[in-house]
Amino acid sequence: MSWLWAIVVGLVLGLIAKAIIPGKQQIPLWLTAVFGILGSVLGNWAATGMGVNDTGGIDWTRHLLQLVGAVIVVALGDAAWSAVRGKKQTG
């Protein structure tokens, strides 16, 4: 069940990240979910390093770091996806 939860959270974070990033992203929905999951893991890693991964109540700082991680990963992943797909279409 935790894998299903990770996929759902990753998809939601990926979609929010795509909404935050200006312009239109070219990555497909499945890759949005993968990048969202990776961003969530990156945010959890940063929260653990800062010591804010498990606090009393809602972990707002950890969730914000997960979103920031998702924005970074989606932006970089979209740039890489566009570069690879662009090269395949012209070559």
Side-chain angles (χ1 to χ4, degrees), residues 21-33:
I21 299 169
K24 180 168 174 33
Q25 291 76 43
Q26 303 299 321
I27 58 175
L29 189 60
W30 67 269
L31 202 51
T32 300

Side-chain angles (χ1 to χ4, degrees), residues 62-85:
R62 180 173 56 98
H63 296 315
L64 181 65
L65 289 170
Q66 288 174 334
L67 180 58
V68 169
V71 168
I72 291 169
V73 174
V74 167
L76 293 175
D78 180 62
W81 176 264
S82 295
V84 168
R85 298 296 284 184

Side-chain angles (χ1 to χ4, degrees), residues 12-89:
V12 170
L13 283 173
L15 290 172
I16 293 171
K18 284 178 76 169
I20 291 172
I21 299 169
K24 180 168 174 33
Q25 291 76 43
Q26 303 299 321
I27 58 175
L29 189 60
W30 67 269
L31 202 51
T32 300
V34 170
F35 289 159
I37 292 168
L38 292 174
S40 177
V41 170
L42 178 66
N44 280 337
W45 176 77
T48 300
M50 295 170 60
V52 294
N53 62 324
D54 190 22
T55 60
I58 299 174
D59 298 327
W60 292 111
T61 306
R62 180 173 56 98
H63 296 315
L64 181 65
L65 289 170
Q66 288 174 334
L67 180 58
V68 169
V71 168
I72 291 169
V73 174
V74 167
L76 293 175
D78 180 62
W81 176 264
S82 295
V84 168
R85 298 296 284 184
K87 287 180 184 174
K88 284 185 179 180
Q89 291 174 353

